[in-house]
Amino acid sequence: MKAIAVYPGKANSTHLAELPKPALSDVPGGRGVLVRLLRCGVDGTDKEINAGEYGKAPEGCSFLVTGHENFGRVEAVGDHVTELRPGDYVVATVRRPGGSLYDLIGTYDMTTDDEYYERGINLRHGFLTEYYVDDPEYIVKVPDGLADVGVLVEPLSVPEKGILQAYEIQRRLRVWRPRKAAVLGAGTIGLFATMIMRLRGLDVTTVGLTPKPYLNSDLIEALGARYLSTRDVPLREAATAYGPFDIIYEATGYSPLVFEAMDVLGKNGVLVLASVTGGNRRVEVPADKINLGFVLGNKVMVGTVNGNREHFEAAVRDLALAAAQVPGWAARLLTHPVRGLENYRRLIDTLTTAGGAIKVFLEIASPSAAGSGE
Ligand code: BGC
Ligand code: ZN
């Protein structure tokens, strides 16, 4: 079967590879689930992998099959699988457990191992291929009614985890009733963080670079949130006008903004850092002022990466809630489809050059035309 792969560390090495079709028996104990890929999204991580700046091939292999934002349909299950059936729409999680205590209790997103295993990213083949086989532990069912937006479950799982972490942390306050939130960044993750917090009834101010109106600002306003361009309103002014912010979710990919966010975070507030920044930026910051604000204001800051099945399940629930509250909203994020694995070049070109793209994704078969599976 065909797969899209790279030679990690080598820039622009994306190519079509040929792999044997996986078998149910690849997972021991009759616990295999064979899934046919329907769609797979690509994001900034894939951009870095294609640039040769990130990612590793599985041990003993020269290439890495890419793709982690998967969505597919179950074709067959082993004799001892009760959780899933042929015909089910599914999304697989990305991380696979290592050896730390956190991995052993199923919270592999919290691993303390230096090496982590991520399908399509690090040391494990990904999903940009025709079929995969995995254990049901790592596969989350998506209801038929959400099939058209199922490819968004993985990217949504990332801010689901970050915001859940914020709420967990805030249990330090005997009572935490967050009212005002800021989201920094209006890309896919910023849009989703806005969606999650609007679904929880917060007053959300989302800031991006581009002056409105454009698709992303329209989508933010459609959620009942406020969109501001930092070109018009600096973060500090936004905080004075629409804060104090009880929660700030940082997803710009521009690390210097973190220190501004620390400065404008409200008392008892929580700042969630979610940008993967591989660069070498340096900035000068008002260290005393920021530190004093944190101390006197009992503030907290947390980093967050990946998600485990709990966060994928939260993503599925929120997509259902969004479908009920803002019908059609999530589907508007699916801006740039590319059809067929053989069009891998166009997929990468679209990812790296398309202006105005929210979600670039490969479509192998349309979810609605995938057949009833019965
Ligand atoms: C993926 C996460 C992953 C992170 C770091 C993101 O693009 O969605 O699953 O943990 O990259 O590799
Ligand atoms: Zn990703």
Side-chain angles (χ1 to χ4, degrees):
M1 62 175 190
K2 289 190 286 282
I4 300 179
V6 295
Y7 300 110
K10 197 166 165 240
N12 278 313
S13 66
T14 300
H15 63 280
L16 212 53
E18 192 57 38
L19 289 180
K21 184 177 169 183
L24 280 183
S25 57
D26 294 351
V27 177
R31 295 282 290 158
V33 178
L34 174 71
V35 178
R36 182 162 85 95
L37 249 288
L38 298 174
R39 286 175 167 176
C40 189
V42 287
D43 69 358
T45 302
D46 297 292
K47 228 185 255 186
E48 290 196 355
I49 293 173
N50 177 64
E53 290 163 6
Y54 193 55
K56 282 187 193 152
E59 214 178 308
C61 196
S62 62
F63 63 89
L64 168 76
V65 174
T66 54
H68 61 278
E69 298 186 358
N70 67 93
F71 176 67
R73 201 155 203 213
V74 176
E75 287 242 317
V77 299
D79 293 341
H80 290 99
V81 173
T82 51
E83 301 92 324
L84 295 163
R85 296 187 177 165
D88 284 349
Y89 288 107
V90 288
V91 173
T93 61
V94 175
R95 278 254 170 122
R96 292 295 172 272
S100 83
L101 181 60
Y102 303 96
D103 297 274
L104 301 183
I105 61 164
T107 57
Y108 36 86
D109 57 318
M110 297 302 240
T111 194
T112 50
D113 292 350
D114 291 329
E115 282 289 25
Y116 51 87
Y117 303 97
E118 288 182 344
R119 290 198 66 161
I121 302 175
N122 218 41
L123 301 164
R124 291 285 180 270
H125 283 320
F127 303 99
L128 272 169
T129 178
E130 295 171 62
Y131 295 92
Y132 72 87
V133 166
D134 217 328
D135 192 295
E137 165 65 19
Y138 308 117
I139 302 179
V140 174
K141 185 171 147 65
V142 177
D144 292 3
L146 293 177
D148 63 326
V149 290
V151 71
L152 297 172
V153 169
E154 193 282 339
L156 178 54
S157 73
V158 173
E160 289 287 358
K161 175 190 166 181
I163 291 165
L164 248 148
Q165 286 275 301
Y167 276 75
E168 278 289 305
I169 289 165
Q170 293 299 71
R171 286 160 64 171
R172 74 196 167 114
L173 305 166
R174 297 291 183 274
V175 57
W176 191 52
R177 299 265 164 72
R179 293 197 309 118
K180 295 181 178 176
V183 174
L184 313 185
T188 312
I189 299 292
L191 284 161
F192 279 141
T194 305
M195 180 192 98
I196 294 167
M197 294 197 281
R198 281 299 302 141
L199 292 175
R200 278 153 192 69
L202 277 78
D203 177 276
V204 184
T205 302
T206 301
V207 305
L209 271 178
T210 312
K212 71 176 197 181
Y214 70 121
L215 177 57
N216 304 46
S217 67
D218 288 351
L219 283 162
I220 282 155
E221 290 177 352
L223 293 166
R226 184 177 302 110
Y227 178 83
L228 300 175
S229 162
T230 43
R231 299 237 159 94
D232 306 327
V233 189
L235 188 54
R236 168 146 296 288
E237 273 176 39
T240 310
Y242 306 110
F245 298 125
D246 303 304
I247 177 165
I248 302 182
Y249 192 98
E250 202 296 316
T252 61
Y254 182 65
S255 54
L257 209 56
V258 165
F259 301 93
E260 259 184 73
M262 290 173 79
D263 197 17
V264 305
L265 182 66
K267 290 196 180 67
N268 288 0
V270 55
L271 168 61
V272 183
L273 308 186
S275 292
V276 176
T277 51
N280 260 312
R281 276 198 190 90
R282 304 174 69 88
V283 283
E284 198 171 292
V285 298
D288 277 343
K289 178 166 184 277
I290 292 173
N291 176 68
L292 189 67
F294 255 67
V295 170
L296 298 183
N298 289 297
K299 305 187 199 180
V300 63
M301 173 163 79
V302 60
T304 178
V305 69
N306 195 260
N308 63 40
R309 65 172 299 129
E310 170 193 355
H311 310 117
F312 281 70
E313 288 165 355
V316 170
R317 283 196 300 273
D318 273 348
L319 280 176
L321 207 54
Q325 288 193 19
V326 253
W329 186 85
R332 291 175 68 196
L333 275 65
L334 298 171
T335 50
H336 288 63
V338 173
R339 296 208 166 74
L341 286 164
E342 60 286 357
N343 286 320
Y344 63 92
R345 260 286 126 229
R346 183 131 52 85
L347 182 71
I348 294 300
D349 289 347
T350 311
L351 175 67
T352 49
T353 60
I358 295 179
K359 185 45 61 195
V360 179
F361 63 102
L362 189 88
E363 181 159 282
I364 297 175
S366 129
S368 48
S372 75
E374 298 304 313

